[in-house]
């Protein structure tokens, strides 16, 4: 089975930085588009950033200029570098990815989430 595991969350002061990682493991033929989502208490899960297999990126307006998504295909890992963090960035951050276990398959997977808390 394919698993996505996030790491790097924690408590950080406003204005600080944090880098999240999401490593995919299991029976993987290839990984296509990947993304980061977040969900704050009482709010719906929202898209933070995406990156295609070719490296094209998109960001939510709320994080543009502060967050950077990247990937290391050799490590089956996607990263989210978060700078200039604000209290409103506090949320559980989830990794998402489209994964081929074989050439003829494509499935979407979610990580378990990692908590990011930004204090004033």
């Amino acid at each position: 089975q394919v698993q996505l595991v996030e790491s790097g969350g924690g408590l950080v002061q406003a204005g600080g930085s944090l880098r999240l990682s999401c490593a995919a493991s299991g029976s993987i033929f290839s990984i296509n588009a990947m993304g980061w989502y977040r969900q704050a208490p009482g709010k719906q899960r929202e898209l933070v950033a995406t990156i295609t297999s070719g490296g094209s990126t998109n960001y939510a307006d709320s994080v543009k200029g502060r967050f950077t998504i990247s990937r290391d295909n050799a490590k089956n890992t996607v990263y989210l570098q978060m700078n200039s963090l604000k209290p409103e960035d506090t949320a559980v951050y989830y990794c998402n990815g489209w994964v081929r276990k074989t050439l003829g398959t494509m499935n979407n997977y979610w990580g378990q989430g990692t908590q990011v808390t930004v204090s004033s």
Side-chain angles (χ1 to χ4, degrees):
Q1 187 58 263
V2 174
Q3 297 181 47
L4 303 180
V5 180
E6 301 97 333
S7 62
L11 176 65
V12 65
Q13 294 179 319
S17 298
L18 208 59
R19 194 184 205 206
L20 306 183
S21 299
C22 173
S25 63
S27 182
I28 298 172
F29 177 80
S30 66
I31 302 177
N32 295 278
M34 301 190 75
W36 287 95
Y37 294 73
R38 67 186 182 187
Q39 187 167 25
K43 297 183 178 180
Q44 291 187 259
R45 188 171 299 185
E46 64 177 353
L47 176 68
V48 176
T50 60
I51 184 167
T52 69
S53 59
S56 296
T57 59
N58 282 289
Y59 299 91
D61 288 341
S62 60
V63 306
K64 285 182 179 177
R66 300 188 298 120
F67 291 10
T68 302
I69 188 171
S70 61
R71 64 193 292 165
D72 185 335
N73 292 330
K75 296 181 179 180
N76 287 338
T77 300
V78 63
Y79 305 94
L80 185 67
Q81 178 66 46
M82 304 183 293
N83 299 324
S84 301
L85 282 162
K86 306 173 181 179
E88 50 263 46
D89 294 319
T90 295
V92 177
Y93 284 70
Y94 296 91
C95 177
N96 178 267
W98 287 95
V99 179
R100 291 187 187 274
K101 297 182 69 175
T102 67
L103 182 62
T105 65
M106 177 82 84
N107 294 103
N108 189 251
Y109 296 88
W110 289 95
Q112 83 288 349
T114 185
Q115 177 71 48
V116 172
T117 302
V118 184
S119 63
S120 300

